[in-house]
Amino acid sequence: MGLLCIAIMGLGLGLSLVMPVAATEEATTWELELAGALDDTISNSGFEDCMGCHGTSYTDSENNEWEGIPLWYLMGDVDDTVTHGSGAFNDAIAADGYDVKIIAGDGYSSTLDSTYLAENDSYIVACYLNGTPLPELTDDGKPLAPLKLVGPYLSGGQKVGNIARIELDVAVAPPQADLTL
């Protein structure tokens, strides 16, 4: 971001007006890949739309407020063929246990067990920190934006930032038959 000056010339009597105007950065676009029984990609605008219905927040020990979507909602999008609405999250296969791998853009990953994540709003994929989009880097220079996994039950290495992909180790769903007449 910078400061621009706009000059308006020709005001008569040899006067001109110069006004400072703050320049804004272009909106950042990103995508989150989801892989499981099905594959899906969620854009930043789709993620924000989802936050309208399923958004939640978490305040950490340093009083930072993280806003995003509980991880289990994203899991429900690809854990079986029901992708939205009632029954989208498959409780039965989550209870049996499968690995959920959270992968950062640089390849770093952390794996969690579905039995802990099942319908648990405490594990949040956050896109906002204190009301603003996540910064590109942490204070120590590690990639952070666009998404970070946060929550009270996660250790440091499990709080993956710069999330690019979430993988569920579940069986791939069989192709749907086309019943169009």
Side-chain angles (χ1 to χ4, degrees), residues 18-47:
V18 177
M19 300 182 320
V21 179
T24 59
E25 294 179 17
E26 289 185 33
T28 304
T29 59
W30 48 264
E31 292 184 331
L32 172 63
E33 294 177 17
L34 301 174
L38 304 173
D39 291 342
D40 195 10
T41 301
I42 300 176
S43 67
N44 58 311
S45 60
F47 192 91

Side-chain angles (χ1 to χ4, degrees), residues 147-172:
L147 300 168
K148 180 176 181 173
L149 182 64
V150 296
Y153 307 116
L154 296 168
S155 65
Q158 293 175 315
K159 297 177 184 176
V160 178
N162 185 231
I163 298 172
R165 183 173 172 88
I166 299 173
E167 294 178 355
L168 280 56
D169 186 15
V170 295
V172 175

